[in-house]
Amino acid sequence: MRALRILLIFVVVLGGLFVIADRVAVNFAEDEVADRLKSTENLSSAPDVSIKGFPFLTQVVGGSLDDVEVGIEDYQAATGDGGRTIRIDDLQADMKGVEFSGDYSSATATTATGTATIAYDELLKTAKVEPTQIAPGVTANVVGLSDGGNGKIKVAVEATVLGTRLPEPVAVLSTVTVVDGDTVRVKADGLPKFAGVNLAENRVRTITDFQQKIDGLPGGIKLDRVQAAPDGVEISVKGSDVRLAG
C-alpha cells in the first residue's frame, strides 16, 4: 500500500509538472505568434492571441493547432485610395486548423471566421461631406451616419436650395451590403426630396450612395456580411488558408 501511495503521488506530481510545462509552453507560443502578427501586419501594438485546446504540447508535436483566437483592437485597413486607411475596431478572428513551422516563423489557418466594427465616423469619410451641386441651384452633402434600425443605416443629407439651407437635414434609410468580398456599399432605399424639388435619380444618388473598399485585412481574410448597429457597421469576415505569420 505504501508503494502504491508513493506511485500515486509520483503520478500526480508528474501530471502537475506536465500541466505547468504545457501552460508555460502555450504562453510562450502565444507571445511568439502575437509578435509575428505585429510585424507581419505592421500593427502599432501586439494583438491578443489565445491558443485553445489542451494539452498544447501534443498539438505542437503534431504540427497543428486546433483553434487560435486573435484579437486586434485598432486595425488600419488599406482602402486602395492613395494610401488612405480606415480604422477597423475590435477585430476578433477565430482560426481553425493552424499549421505552423517549428520556430513559429510561419503559420497558416485552414479556415477563419470573425467579427469587427467600422464606426460611423470612419465610414462617413467615404461619403461626400462637401457641398456638391446636384441640380441648378441645389447643392447637397452628407453630414452624418447613424443606426436606422432593422439593419439599416440612416444617412443625414443637408441641402441648400436657391441659396437657402434647409432647416433640417433630410434622413435617408439605406441598405448596407458587401460587394466582391472587399467593399462596403451603402445604397439609399428611397430618394429624398429637397423642399419638394424632384431631382434626377442619378444626381441624387451621387450624394446618398457611396462605397468603401477595405483591402488588406489580416492574413487575407475577406468581408462576408455587414449590418448597421448602434455603434457602427458590424462586419463578419471569413477566409481560407489564412496566413497568421510568415
Side-chain angles (χ1 to χ4, degrees):
M1 291 295 294
R2 184 171 181 274
L4 180 59
R5 285 198 299 271
I6 293 174
L7 178 61
L8 289 175
I9 292 171
F10 182 71
V11 170
V12 169
V13 170
L14 281 181
L17 291 175
F18 176 79
V19 170
I20 292 172
D22 193 79
R23 294 303 89 191
V24 169
V26 77
N27 288 336
F28 172 79
E30 288 170 347
D31 290 343
E32 285 293 309
V33 173
D35 287 342
R36 296 287 183 179
L37 270 174
K38 179 183 177 183
S39 175
T40 301
E41 301 296 337
N42 296 315
L43 303 177
S44 58
S45 60
D48 293 328
V49 175
S50 178
I51 298 175
K52 304 298 182 180
F54 179 83
F56 166 71
L57 291 174
T58 58
Q59 296 182 67
V60 171
V61 172
S64 177
L65 304 178
D66 297 333
D67 190 355
V68 178
E69 294 181 356
V70 177
I72 302 175
E73 185 64 28
D74 179 356
Y75 185 79
Q76 297 294 328
T79 63
D81 182 15
R84 189 175 66 84
T85 61
I86 185 170
R87 189 183 76 248
I88 308 295
D89 296 324
D90 196 24
L91 175 59
Q92 302 291 326
D94 187 8
M95 315 287 190
K96 302 290 188 182
V98 180
E99 305 284 341
F100 61 91
S101 61
D103 60 356
Y104 304 105
S105 61
S106 64
T108 303
T110 302
T111 61
T113 57
T115 59
T117 301
I118 304 173
Y120 287 121
D121 61 343
E122 281 293 302
L123 193 58
L124 181 61
K125 297 174 182 178
T126 304
K128 289 190 176 179
V129 296
E130 296 297 326
T132 301
Q133 182 171 305
I134 57 176
V138 181
T139 62
N141 60 292
V142 177
V143 294
L145 303 175
S146 59
D147 181 18
N150 297 317
K152 303 288 186 177
I153 290 181
K154 183 166 67 176
V155 180
V157 180
E158 190 173 74
T160 298
V161 179
L162 299 177
T164 300
R165 179 179 294 176
L166 300 186
E168 296 291 337
V170 177
V172 181
L173 284 180
S174 301
T175 298
V176 56
T177 56
V178 170
V179 180
D180 298 330
D182 64 359
T183 301
V184 175
R185 175 178 291 171
V186 178
K187 185 175 182 180
D189 294 347
L191 298 180
K193 290 184 178 181
F194 304 110
V197 178
N198 288 313
L199 303 172
E201 177 175 347
N202 63 329
R203 297 299 298 166
V204 177
R205 287 197 178 277
T206 62
I207 303 297
T208 61
D209 300 358
F210 56 93
Q211 61 185 31
Q212 174 63 69
K213 187 173 183 178
I214 299 175
D215 219 358
L217 288 173
I221 55 178
K222 297 291 186 180
L223 302 179
D224 184 26
R225 298 185 306 276
V226 289
Q227 178 174 293
D231 297 327
V233 175
E234 293 180 347
I235 63 176
S236 298
V237 298
K238 67 178 182 179
S240 57
D241 296 327
V242 175
R243 175 177 48 82
L244 276 76

